[in-house]
């Protein structure tokens, strides 16, 4: 039984923590480093990666033909930036480290792409 008193947690002996069974010594800290993986990706592989993170197929189902062309342009832009050779990307005349731009792109999802698309129309 677990009881909580003023920020402390006490565990009754009938519910022991069997640490001798837990395999905590074998923690796998070999995580994927995406920035290293990107360096080895081809253009088409990275393009597929971008399509996956933005749910490209779902976006296309909800789009008109002109919107599909815009989604394709966004995918191409994201891919070209990530695969480019330079260390910096110029945005509005300001040099921004490519790693920062790619990191921001990788946080994009379907909702953010839809938001960008909505803002692209001149009213």
């Amino acid at each position: 039984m677990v009881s909580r008193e003023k920020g402390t947690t006490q565990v009754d002996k009938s519910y022991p923590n069997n640490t001798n069974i837990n395999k905590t010594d074998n923690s796998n800290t070999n995580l994927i480093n995406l920035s290293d993986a990107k360096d080895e990706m081809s253009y088409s592989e990275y393009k597929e990666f971008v399509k996956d993170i933005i749910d490209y197929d779902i976006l296309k189902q909800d789009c008109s033909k002109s919107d599909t062309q815009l989604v394709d342009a966004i995918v191409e832009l994201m891919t070209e930036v990530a695969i480019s050779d330079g260390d910096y990307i110029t945005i509005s005349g300001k040099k921004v480290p490519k790693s920062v731009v790619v990191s921001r792109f990788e946080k994009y999802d379907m909702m953010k792409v839809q938001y960008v698309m909505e803002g692209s129309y001149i009213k």
Side-chain angles (χ1 to χ4, degrees):
M1 171 172 248
V2 177
S3 65
R4 295 185 186 262
E5 294 177 13
K6 296 181 185 176
T8 62
T9 304
Q10 295 178 344
V11 179
D12 189 358
K13 290 184 181 182
S14 61
Y15 296 100
N17 182 2
N18 295 320
T19 56
N20 59 338
I21 295 174
N22 294 336
K23 306 263 190 251
T24 57
D25 291 337
N26 296 330
S27 297
N28 186 359
T29 58
N30 187 13
L31 303 174
I32 296 173
N33 185 345
L34 189 56
S35 62
D36 291 342
K38 281 189 301 238
D39 293 339
E40 298 175 13
M41 284 183 170
S42 70
Y43 185 89
S44 60
E45 289 171 332
Y46 195 83
K47 186 174 180 178
E48 288 305 311
F49 169 74
V50 169
K51 287 180 175 183
D52 286 343
I53 64 172
I54 66 166
D55 294 318
Y56 177 81
D57 293 331
I58 296 170
L59 272 171
K60 277 185 65 172
Q61 291 174 358
D62 295 336
C63 291
S64 66
K65 185 172 182 170
S66 62
D67 286 346
T68 300
Q69 291 172 342
L70 182 56
V71 171
D72 288 339
I74 291 169
V75 168
E76 292 293 328
L77 175 67
M78 292 172 72
T79 304
E80 288 174 15
V81 166
I83 299 298
S84 69
D85 290 334
D87 292 332
Y88 294 91
I89 304 296
T90 303
I91 302 173
S92 298
K94 183 178 174 184
K95 287 177 101 176
V96 179
K98 182 176 95 170
S99 60
V100 171
V101 177
V102 171
S103 174
R104 289 179 185 168
F105 278 163
E106 289 174 352
K107 293 175 185 169
Y108 273 39
D109 57 13
M110 181 174 62
M111 304 272 287
K112 287 182 181 166
V113 172
Q114 288 172 329
Y115 178 79
V116 169
M117 291 171 58
E118 288 172 8
S120 70
Y121 296 106
I122 299 173
K123 298 180 179 172

